[in-house]
C-alpha cells in the first residue's frame, strides 16, 4: 500500500487554521520599559561618559567604549 508524499486537501492530517497569537499589553510593558532603560544607559556610557558629565573618574570608560563611539558617530577627540 503506497501513500502519497503530498497530502491531499481532504487529508485528516491537515491542520486547522490557527487562532492569532494574543499577547496582553500588561505582559509586554515591563520588558519594554527594561529595554528602554538599558538602551538609555548604554547610549549614555557610549555617547556622554566623559568630561564634565562623567560619572566615573579617569578615562577607563572612555577607552572601553572608544570604538563604539566612532561606530555610532559620536565625536570623542
Amino acid at each position: 500500500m503506497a501513500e502519497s508524499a503530498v497530502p491531499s486537501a481532504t487529508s485528516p492530517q491537515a491542520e486547522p487554521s490557527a487562532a492569532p497569537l494574543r499577547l496582553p499589553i500588561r505582559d509586554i510593558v515591563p520588558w519594554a520599559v527594561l529595554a528602554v532603560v538599558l538602551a538609555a544607559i548604554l547610549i549614555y556610557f557610549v555617547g556622554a561618559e566623559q568630561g564634565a558629565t562623567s560619572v566615573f573618574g579617569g578615562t577607563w570608560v572612555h577607552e572601553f567604549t572608544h570604538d563604539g563611539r566612532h561606530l555610532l558617530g559620536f565625536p570623542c577627540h
Side-chain angles (χ1 to χ4, degrees):
M1 305 278 179
E3 292 185 20
S4 174
V6 179
S8 65
T10 59
S11 171
Q13 297 174 352
E15 294 182 22
S17 61
L21 180 65
R22 291 187 169 185
L23 291 175
I25 297 296
R26 241 179 267 188
D27 293 343
I28 296 172
V29 169
W31 292 106
V33 169
L34 177 67
V36 168
V37 168
L38 289 177
I41 290 170
L42 180 67
I43 291 294
Y44 169 77
F45 277 110
V46 170
E49 175 60 28
Q50 67 180 15
T53 62
S54 180
V55 173
F56 302 105
T59 60
W60 67 274
V61 173
H62 173 82
E63 294 302 325
F64 184 73
T65 60
H66 187 259
D67 292 337
R69 290 173 190 262
H70 290 297
L71 180 68
L72 295 173
F74 287 100
C76 63
H77 294 264

